[in-house]
Amino acid sequence: MDQDRRDVTARVFGKMKGGSMSLYLDKDEIGQIRFTNQGNMYEMAEGFEFDADKIYKREKPVELPNPSKYVDECDKGWC
């Protein structure tokens, strides 16, 4: 099953730890940014990704039941 991405960038905050910054969503650590001479390196936890300066949380899409008919008990012929 494919996964949807939800932009959580506005809810993410960082804390400096040594030579890197730990990224948090609420109270959970979701990744790190390591600062190197070659540029920043993003290491994201499983279920998260960094893309085009945004942080996304991957989620399984909600599957809605596929109704076999529009309405039930349609014996009057008007529905």
Side-chain angles (χ1 to χ4, degrees):
M1 175 184 294
D2 291 334
Q3 294 186 342
D4 290 334
R5 296 188 324 169
R6 183 169 46 114
D7 183 357
V8 295
T9 306
R11 296 177 41 210
V12 173
F13 64 95
K15 291 183 183 178
M16 291 300 297
K17 287 186 177 179
S20 65
M21 180 181 291
S22 294
L23 302 173
Y24 294 87
L25 178 63
D26 301 322
K27 295 179 181 179
D28 300 322
E29 186 172 353
I30 63 165
Q32 290 187 340
I33 304 173
R34 297 193 188 279
F35 306 106
T36 69
N37 293 336
Q38 291 80 27
N40 298 342
M41 296 178 60
Y42 295 83
E43 297 175 4
M44 304 304 296
E46 185 174 340
F48 293 90
E49 63 184 66
F50 179 82
D51 184 27
D53 293 331
K54 293 191 180 271
I55 298 174
Y56 296 94
K57 182 176 182 181
R58 292 187 301 264
E59 299 177 332
K60 291 183 179 180
V62 176
E63 288 190 35
L64 300 175
N66 188 6
S68 58
K69 53 187 172 179
Y70 181 68
V71 293
D72 288 331
E73 301 177 19
C74 188
D75 57 351
K76 306 256 191 268
W78 53 265
C79 43

Coordinates of all heavy atoms in Angstrom, one line a residue:
M1 N 0.8 -1.2 0.0 CA 0.0 0.0 0.0 C 0.9 1.2 0.0 O 1.9 1.3 0.7 CB -0.9 0.0 1.3 CG -1.7 1.2 1.4 SD -2.7 1.3 2.9 CE -3.8 -0.1 2.6
D2 N 0.5 2.2 -0.8 CA 1.3 3.5 -0.9 C 1.1 4.3 0.4 O 0.1 4.1 1.1 CB 0.8 4.3 -2.1 CG 1.2 3.7 -3.4 OD1 2.2 3.0 -3.4 OD2 0.6 4.0 -4.4
Q3 N 2.0 5.2 0.7 CA 1.9 6.0 1.9 C 1.7 7.4 1.5 O 2.3 7.9 0.5 CB 3.1 5.8 2.8 CG 3.3 4.5 3.3 CD 4.4 4.4 4.3 OE1 5.3 5.2 4.3 NE2 4.4 3.4 5.2
D4 N 1.0 8.2 2.2 CA 0.8 9.6 2.0 C 1.8 10.3 2.9 O 2.3 9.8 3.8 CB -0.6 10.0 2.5 CG -1.7 9.5 1.5 OD1 -1.4 9.3 0.3 OD2 -2.8 9.4 2.0
R5 N 2.1 11.6 2.5 CA 3.0 12.4 3.2 C 2.3 13.6 3.8 O 1.5 14.2 3.1 CB 4.2 12.9 2.3 CG 5.1 11.9 1.8 CD 6.3 12.4 1.1 NE 6.0 13.7 0.3 CZ 7.0 14.4 -0.2 NH1 8.3 14.1 0.0 NH2 6.8 15.5 -0.9
R6 N 2.5 13.9 5.0 CA 1.9 15.1 5.6 C 3.0 16.0 6.1 O 4.0 15.6 6.7 CB 1.1 14.6 6.9 CG 0.4 15.8 7.5 CD -0.6 15.3 8.5 NE -0.1 14.3 9.4 CZ 0.1 14.4 10.7 NH1 -0.2 15.5 11.3 NH2 0.6 13.4 11.4
D7 N 2.9 17.3 5.7 CA 3.9 18.3 6.0 C 3.8 18.6 7.5 O 2.8 19.1 7.9 CB 3.7 19.5 5.1 CG 4.8 20.6 5.3 OD1 5.7 20.4 6.2 OD2 4.7 21.6 4.7
V8 N 4.9 18.4 8.2 CA 4.9 18.7 9.7 C 6.0 19.7 10.0 O 6.3 19.9 11.2 CB 5.1 17.4 10.5 CG1 4.0 16.4 10.3 CG2 6.4 16.7 10.1
T9 N 6.5 20.4 9.0 CA 7.6 21.3 9.2 C 7.3 22.3 10.3 O 8.2 22.6 11.1 CB 7.9 22.0 7.9 OG1 8.1 21.1 6.8 CG2 9.1 22.9 8.0
A10 N 6.1 22.9 10.3 CA 5.8 24.0 11.3 C 5.8 23.5 12.7 O 5.9 24.3 13.7 CB 4.5 24.6 10.9
R11 N 5.7 22.2 12.9 CA 5.6 21.6 14.3 C 6.9 21.1 14.7 O 7.0 20.6 15.9 CB 4.6 20.5 14.3 CG 3.2 21.0 14.0 CD 2.1 19.8 13.9 NE 2.3 18.8 14.9 CZ 2.0 17.6 14.8 NH1 1.5 17.2 13.6 NH2 2.2 16.7 15.7
V12 N 8.0 21.1 13.9 CA 9.3 20.6 14.2 C 10.2 21.6 14.9 O 10.2 22.8 14.4 CB 10.0 20.0 13.0 CG1 11.4 19.5 13.3 CG2 9.2 18.8 12.4
F13 N 10.9 21.3 15.9 CA 11.8 22.2 16.5 C 13.2 21.5 16.7 O 13.2 20.2 16.7 CB 11.3 22.8 17.8 CG 11.1 21.8 18.9 CD1 12.1 21.6 19.9 CD2 9.9 21.1 19.0 CE1 11.9 20.6 20.9 CE2 9.8 20.2 20.1 CZ 10.8 19.9 21.0
G14 N 14.2 22.2 16.9 CA 15.6 21.6 17.0 C 16.3 22.0 18.3 O 16.0 23.1 18.8
K15 N 17.1 21.1 18.7 CA 18.0 21.4 19.9 C 19.4 21.0 19.5 O 19.7 20.0 19.0 CB 17.6 20.5 21.1 CG 16.3 20.9 21.7 CD 16.0 20.0 22.9 CE 14.7 20.3 23.5 NZ 14.4 19.4 24.7
M16 N 20.4 22.0 19.8 CA 21.8 21.7 19.5 C 22.3 20.7 20.4 O 22.1 20.7 21.6 CB 22.6 23.0 19.6 CG 22.2 24.0 18.5 SD 22.6 23.4 16.8 CE 24.3 23.1 16.8
K17 N 23.0 19.7 19.9 CA 23.7 18.7 20.7 C 25.1 18.5 20.0 O 25.2 17.9 19.0 CB 23.0 17.4 20.6 CG 21.7 17.3 21.5 CD 21.1 15.9 21.5 CE 19.9 15.8 22.4 NZ 19.3 14.5 22.4
G18 N 26.1 19.1 20.6 CA 27.5 19.0 20.1 C 27.5 19.6 18.7 O 27.1 20.8 18.6
G19 N 28.0 18.9 17.7 CA 28.1 19.5 16.4 C 26.9 19.2 15.5 O 27.0 19.3 14.3
S20 N 25.8 18.8 16.1 CA 24.6 18.5 15.2 C 23.3 19.1 15.9 O 23.4 19.6 17.1 CB 24.4 17.0 15.0 OG 24.2 16.4 16.3
M21 N 22.3 19.1 15.2 CA 21.0 19.6 15.8 C 20.0 18.4 15.7 O 19.8 17.8 14.7 CB 20.4 20.7 15.0 CG 19.1 21.2 15.5 SD 18.4 22.6 14.5 CE 19.5 23.9 14.9
S22 N 19.4 18.1 16.9 CA 18.4 17.0 17.0 C 17.1 17.6 16.6 O 16.7 18.7 17.1 CB 18.4 16.4 18.3 OG 19.6 15.7 18.6
L23 N 16.3 17.0 15.8 CA 14.9 17.5 15.4 C 13.9 16.7 16.2 O 13.9 15.5 16.3 CB 14.7 17.3 13.9 CG 15.8 18.0 13.0 CD1 15.6 17.6 11.6 CD2 15.7 19.5 13.2
Y24 N 12.9 17.4 16.6 CA 11.8 16.9 17.4 C 10.4 17.2 16.9 O 10.2 18.4 16.4 CB 11.8 17.4 18.9 CG 13.1 16.9 19.6 CD1 14.3 17.6 19.6 CD2 13.0 15.8 20.4 CE1 15.4 17.2 20.2 CE2 14.2 15.3 21.1 CZ 15.3 16.0 21.0 OH 16.4 15.6 21.7
L25 N 9.5 16.3 16.9 CA 8.1 16.5 16.6 C 7.4 16.2 17.9 O 7.4 15.0 18.4 CB 7.6 15.6 15.5 CG 6.1 15.7 15.1 CD1 5.8 17.1 14.7 CD2 5.8 14.7 14.1
D26 N 6.8 17.2 18.6 CA 6.3 17.1 19.9 C 7.4 16.7 20.8 O 8.4 17.4 20.9 CB 5.1 16.1 19.9 CG 3.9 16.6 19.0 OD1 3.7 17.8 18.9 OD2 3.3 15.7 18.4
K27 N 7.3 15.5 21.5 CA 8.4 15.1 22.4 C 9.3 14.0 21.8 O 10.3 13.6 22.4 CB 7.8 14.6 23.7 CG 7.1 15.6 24.5 CD 6.5 15.0 25.7 CE 5.7 16.1 26.5 NZ 5.1 15.5 27.7
D28 N 9.0 13.6 20.5 CA 9.7 12.5 19.9 C 10.9 13.0 19.0 O 10.6 13.9 18.2 CB 8.8 11.7 19.1 CG 7.7 11.1 19.9 OD1 8.0 10.6 21.1 OD2 6.5 11.0 19.4
E29 N 12.1 12.5 19.2 CA 13.2 12.8 18.3 C 12.9 12.1 16.9 O 12.7 10.9 16.9 CB 14.5 12.4 18.8 CG 15.7 12.9 18.0 CD 17.0 12.6 18.7 OE1 17.1 12.1 19.8 OE2 18.0 12.8 18.0
I30 N 12.9 12.9 15.9 CA 12.6 12.4 14.5 C 13.8 12.5 13.6 O 13.7 12.0 12.4 CB 11.4 13.1 13.9 CG1 11.7 14.6 13.7 CG2 10.2 12.9 14.8 CD1 10.7 15.3 12.8
G31 N 14.9 13.1 14.0 CA 16.1 13.1 13.1 C 17.1 14.1 13.6 O 17.0 14.6 14.7
Q32 N 18.2 14.2 12.8 CA 19.3 15.1 13.1 C 19.8 15.8 11.9 O 19.7 15.2 10.8 CB 20.5 14.3 13.7 CG 20.2 13.7 15.1 CD 21.5 13.1 15.6 OE1 22.4 12.7 14.9 NE2 21.5 13.0 17.0
I33 N 20.3 16.9 12.1 CA 21.1 17.7 11.0 C 22.5 17.7 11.5 O 22.8 18.2 12.5 CB 20.5 19.1 10.8 CG1 19.0 19.1 10.5 CG2 21.3 19.8 9.7 CD1 18.4 20.5 10.5
R34 N 23.4 17.1 10.6 CA 24.8 17.2 10.9 C 25.4 18.2 10.0 O 25.2 18.2 8.8 CB 25.5 15.8 10.7 CG 24.9 14.7 11.6 CD 25.8 13.5 11.5 NE 25.1 12.4 12.2 CZ 25.2 12.2 13.5 NH1 25.8 13.1 14.3 NH2 24.6 11.2 14.1
F35 N 26.2 19.1 10.6 CA 26.8 20.2 9.9 C 28.2 19.8 9.5 O 29.0 19.5 10.3 CB 26.8 21.5 10.7 CG 25.5 21.8 11.3 CD1 25.2 21.6 12.6 CD2 24.5 22.4 10.5 CE1 23.9 21.9 13.1 CE2 23.2 22.7 10.9 CZ 22.9 22.5 12.3
T36 N 28.5 19.8 8.1 CA 29.8 19.4 7.6 C 30.3 20.4 6.6 O 29.6 21.3 6.2 CB 29.7 18.0 6.9 OG1 28.9 18.2 5.7 CG2 29.0 16.9 7.7
N37 N 31.6 20.3 6.3 CA 32.1 21.2 5.3 C 31.5 21.0 3.9 O 31.5 21.9 3.1 CB 33.7 20.9 5.1 CG 34.4 21.3 6.4 OD1 33.9 22.2 7.2 ND2 35.5 20.8 6.6
Q38 N 30.9 19.8 3.6 CA 30.2 19.6 2.4 C 28.8 20.0 2.4 O 28.1 19.9 1.4 CB 30.3 18.1 2.0 CG 31.7 17.6 1.7 CD 32.5 17.3 2.9 OE1 32.0 17.0 4.0 NE2 33.8 17.4 2.8
G39 N 28.3 20.5 3.5 CA 26.9 21.0 3.6 C 26.2 20.2 4.7 O 26.8 19.3 5.4
N40 N 25.0 20.5 4.9 CA 24.2 19.9 6.0 C 23.8 18.5 5.5 O 23.4 18.2 4.4 CB 22.9 20.7 6.3 CG 23.3 22.0 6.8 OD1 24.4 22.3 7.3 ND2 22.3 22.9 6.8
M41 N 23.8 17.5 6.5 CA 23.4 16.1 6.2 C 22.2 15.9 7.1 O 22.3 16.0 8.3 CB 24.5 15.2 6.5 CG 25.7 15.3 5.6 SD 27.1 14.2 5.9 CE 26.3 12.6 5.7
Y42 N 21.1 15.5 6.5 CA 19.9 15.2 7.2 C 19.7 13.7 7.4 O 19.8 12.9 6.4 CB 18.7 15.7 6.5 CG 18.7 17.3 6.3 CD1 19.4 17.9 5.4 CD2 18.0 18.0 7.3 CE1 19.5 19.3 5.3 CE2 18.0 19.4 7.2 CZ 18.8 20.0 6.2 OH 18.8 21.4 6.1
E43 N 19.5 13.3 8.6 CA 19.3 11.9 9.0 C 18.0 11.8 9.7 O 17.8 12.3 10.8 CB 20.4 11.4 9.9 CG 21.8 11.4 9.3 CD 22.9 11.0 10.2 OE1 22.6 10.6 11.4 OE2 24.0 11.0 9.8
M44 N 17.0 11.2 9.0 CA 15.6 11.2 9.5 C 15.3 9.8 10.0 O 15.7 8.8 9.5 CB 14.6 11.6 8.4 CG 14.9 13.0 7.8 SD 15.0 14.4 9.0 CE 13.3 14.4 9.6
A45 N 14.4 9.8 11.1 CA 14.0 8.5 11.6 C 13.0 7.9 10.6 O 12.5 8.5 9.7 CB 13.3 8.8 13.0
E46 N 12.8 6.6 10.8 CA 11.9 5.9 10.0 C 10.5 6.5 10.1 O 10.0 6.9 11.1 CB 11.8 4.4 10.4 CG 10.9 3.6 9.5 CD 10.9 2.1 9.9 OE1 11.9 1.7 10.6 OE2 10.0 1.4 9.4
G47 N 9.9 6.7 8.9 CA 8.5 7.3 8.8 C 8.6 8.8 8.6 O 7.6 9.5 8.4
F48 N 9.8 9.4 8.5 CA 10.0 10.8 8.2 C 10.9 11.0 7.1 O 11.8 10.2 6.8 CB 10.5 11.6 9.5 CG 9.5 11.6 10.6 CD1 9.6 10.5 11.5 CD2 8.6 12.6 10.8 CE1 8.7 10.5 12.6 CE2 7.7 12.6 11.8 CZ 7.7 11.5 12.7
E49 N 10.8 12.1 6.4 CA 11.7 12.5 5.3 C 11.8 14.0 5.1 O 10.9 14.7 5.5 CB 11.3 11.8 4.0 CG 9.9 12.3 3.4 CD 9.5 11.6 2.2 OE1 9.3 10.3 2.2 OE2 9.5 12.2 1.1
F50 N 13.0 14.4 4.7 CA 13.3 15.8 4.4 C 13.3 15.9 2.9 O 14.1 15.2 2.2 CB 14.7 16.1 5.0 CG 15.1 17.5 4.7 CD1 14.6 18.6 5.5 CD2 15.9 17.8 3.7 CE1 14.9 19.9 5.3 CE2 16.3 19.2 3.4 CZ 15.8 20.2 4.2
D51 N 12.6 16.9 2.4 CA 12.5 17.1 0.9 C 12.2 18.5 0.6 O 11.2 19.1 1.2 CB 11.4 16.1 0.3 CG 11.3 16.2 -1.2 OD1 12.3 16.6 -1.8 OD2 10.2 16.0 -1.7
A52 N 13.0 19.2 -0.1 CA 12.8 20.6 -0.6 C 12.5 21.5 0.6 O 11.6 22.3 0.7 CB 11.6 20.6 -1.6
D53 N 13.4 21.4 1.6 CA 13.4 22.3 2.8 C 12.1 22.1 3.7 O 11.7 23.0 4.4 CB 13.5 23.7 2.5 CG 14.9 24.0 1.9 OD1 15.9 23.3 2.3 OD2 15.1 25.0 1.1
K54 N 11.5 20.9 3.5 CA 10.3 20.6 4.4 C 10.5 19.2 5.0 O 11.2 18.4 4.5 CB 9.0 20.7 3.6 CG 8.7 22.0 3.1 CD 7.3 22.1 2.5 CE 6.9 23.5 2.0 NZ 6.4 24.3 3.1
I55 N 9.8 19.0 6.1 CA 9.9 17.7 6.8 C 8.5 17.1 6.7 O 7.5 17.7 7.0 CB 10.3 17.9 8.3 CG1 11.8 18.5 8.3 CG2 10.3 16.5 9.0 CD1 12.3 18.8 9.7
Y56 N 8.5 15.9 6.3 CA 7.2 15.1 6.0 C 7.2 13.9 6.9 O 8.2 13.3 7.2 CB 7.1 14.7 4.6 CG 7.0 15.8 3.6 CD1 8.1 16.3 3.0 CD2 5.8 16.4 3.3 CE1 8.1 17.4 2.1 CE2 5.7 17.5 2.4 CZ 6.8 17.9 1.8 OH 6.7 19.0 0.9
K57 N 5.9 13.6 7.4 CA 5.7 12.3 8.1 C 4.9 11.5 7.1 O 3.9 11.9 6.6 CB 4.9 12.6 9.3 CG 4.6 11.4 10.1 CD 3.9 11.7 11.4 CE 3.7 10.4 12.2 NZ 3.0 10.7 13.5
R58 N 5.4 10.3 6.9 CA 4.7 9.3 6.0 C 3.7 8.6 6.8 O 3.9 8.1 7.9 CB 5.7 8.3 5.4 CG 6.7 9.0 4.4 CD 7.5 8.0 3.7 NE 8.3 7.2 4.6 CZ 9.6 7.4 4.9 NH1 10.2 8.4 4.4 NH2 10.2 6.6 5.7
E59 N 2.5 8.5 6.2 CA 1.4 7.8 6.9 C 0.7 6.9 5.9 O 0.6 7.3 4.7 CB 0.4 8.8 7.5 CG 1.0 9.7 8.5 CD 0.0 10.7 9.0 OE1 -0.9 11.1 8.2 OE2 0.2 11.2 10.1
K60 N 0.1 5.8 6.4 CA -0.7 5.0 5.5 C -2.0 5.7 5.3 O -2.6 6.2 6.3 CB -0.9 3.6 6.2 CG 0.4 2.8 6.2 CD 0.1 1.4 6.8 CE 1.3 0.6 6.8 NZ 1.1 -0.8 7.3
P61 N -2.5 5.7 4.1 CA -3.8 6.4 3.8 C -4.9 5.6 4.5 O -4.9 4.4 4.6 CB -3.9 6.3 2.3 CG -3.0 5.3 1.8 CD -1.9 5.2 2.9
V62 N -5.9 6.3 4.9 CA -7.1 5.7 5.6 C -7.9 5.1 4.5 O -8.3 5.7 3.5 CB -7.9 6.8 6.3 CG1 -9.2 6.2 6.9 CG2 -7.0 7.4 7.4
E63 N -8.2 3.8 4.6 CA -9.1 3.2 3.7 C -10.5 3.2 4.1 O -10.9 2.7 5.2 CB -8.7 1.7 3.5 CG -7.4 1.5 2.8 CD -7.1 0.1 2.4 OE1 -8.1 -0.6 2.1 OE2 -5.9 -0.3 2.4
L64 N -11.4 3.8 3.3 CA -12.8 3.9 3.6 C -13.5 2.6 3.0 O -13.1 2.2 1.9 CB -13.4 5.2 3.0 CG -12.8 6.4 3.5 CD1 -13.4 7.6 2.8 CD2 -13.0 6.6 5.0
P65 N -14.5 2.1 3.7 CA -15.2 1.0 3.1 C -15.9 1.4 1.8 O -16.3 2.5 1.6 CB -16.2 0.6 4.2 CG -16.3 1.8 5.1 CD -15.0 2.6 4.9
N66 N -15.9 0.4 0.9 CA -16.5 0.7 -0.4 C -17.9 0.2 -0.3 O -18.2 -1.0 -0.4 CB -15.7 -0.1 -1.5 CG -16.2 0.3 -2.9 OD1 -17.0 1.2 -3.0 ND2 -15.7 -0.4 -3.9
P67 N -18.9 1.1 -0.2 CA -20.3 0.6 -0.1 C -20.8 0.0 -1.4 O -20.4 0.4 -2.5 CB -21.0 1.9 0.2 CG -20.2 3.0 -0.4 CD -18.8 2.5 -0.3
S68 N -21.5 -1.1 -1.2 CA -22.1 -1.8 -2.4 C -23.2 -1.0 -3.0 O -23.6 -1.2 -4.1 CB -22.5 -3.2 -2.0 OG -23.5 -3.1 -1.0
K69 N -23.9 -0.2 -2.2 CA -24.9 0.7 -2.8 C -25.0 2.0 -2.0 O -24.4 2.1 -0.9 CB -26.3 -0.1 -2.7 CG -26.6 -0.6 -1.3 CD -27.9 -1.4 -1.4 CE -28.1 -2.1 0.0 NZ -29.3 -2.9 0.0
Y70 N -25.6 3.0 -2.6 CA -25.6 4.3 -2.1 C -26.4 4.4 -0.8 O -26.0 5.1 0.2 CB -26.2 5.3 -3.1 CG -26.2 6.7 -2.7 CD1 -25.1 7.4 -2.5 CD2 -27.4 7.3 -2.5 CE1 -25.1 8.7 -2.1 CE2 -27.5 8.7 -2.1 CZ -26.3 9.4 -1.9 OH -26.3 10.6 -1.5
V71 N -27.6 3.8 -0.7 CA -28.4 3.8 0.5 C -29.0 2.4 0.8 O -29.0 1.5 -0.1 CB -29.6 4.8 0.4 CG1 -29.1 6.2 0.3 CG2 -30.5 4.5 -0.8
D72 N -29.3 2.2 2.0 CA -30.0 0.9 2.4 C -31.5 1.1 2.4 O -32.0 2.2 2.5 CB -29.5 0.5 3.8 CG -28.0 0.0 3.8 OD1 -27.6 -0.5 2.7 OD2 -27.4 0.2 4.8
E73 N -32.2 0.0 2.3 CA -33.6 -0.1 2.4 C -34.3 0.9 1.4 O -35.1 1.7 1.8 CB -34.0 0.2 3.8 CG -33.5 -0.8 4.8 CD -33.8 -0.5 6.2 OE1 -34.8 0.2 6.5 OE2 -33.1 -1.0 7.1
C74 N -34.0 0.7 0.2 CA -34.5 1.6 -0.9 C -35.6 0.9 -1.6 O -35.6 0.7 -2.8 CB -33.4 2.0 -1.8 SG -33.9 3.3 -3.0
D75 N -36.7 0.5 -0.8 CA -37.7 -0.3 -1.5 C -38.9 0.6 -2.0 O -39.8 0.1 -2.6 CB -38.3 -1.3 -0.5 CG -38.8 -0.7 0.8 OD1 -38.5 0.5 1.0 OD2 -39.3 -1.4 1.6
K76 N -38.8 1.9 -1.7 CA -39.9 2.8 -2.2 C -39.7 3.3 -3.6 O -40.6 3.8 -4.2 CB -40.0 4.0 -1.3 CG -40.2 3.6 0.2 CD -41.6 3.8 0.6 CE -41.7 3.7 2.1 NZ -42.0 2.5 2.6
G77 N -38.5 3.1 -4.1 CA -38.1 3.5 -5.5 C -37.8 4.9 -5.7 O -37.6 5.3 -6.9
W78 N -37.7 5.7 -4.7 CA -37.4 7.1 -4.9 C -35.9 7.5 -4.5 O -35.6 8.6 -4.6 CB -38.4 8.0 -4.2 CG -38.6 7.7 -2.7 CD1 -39.5 6.9 -2.2 CD2 -37.8 8.1 -1.6 NE1 -39.4 6.7 -0.9 CE2 -38.3 7.5 -0.5 CE3 -36.6 8.9 -1.5 CZ2 -37.8 7.7 0.8 CZ3 -36.1 9.1 -0.2 CH2 -36.7 8.5 0.9
C79 N -35.1 6.6 -4.1 CA -33.8 6.9 -3.6 C -32.7 6.4 -4.6 O -32.9 5.9 -5.6 CB -33.5 6.4 -2.2 SG -34.0 4.7 -1.9

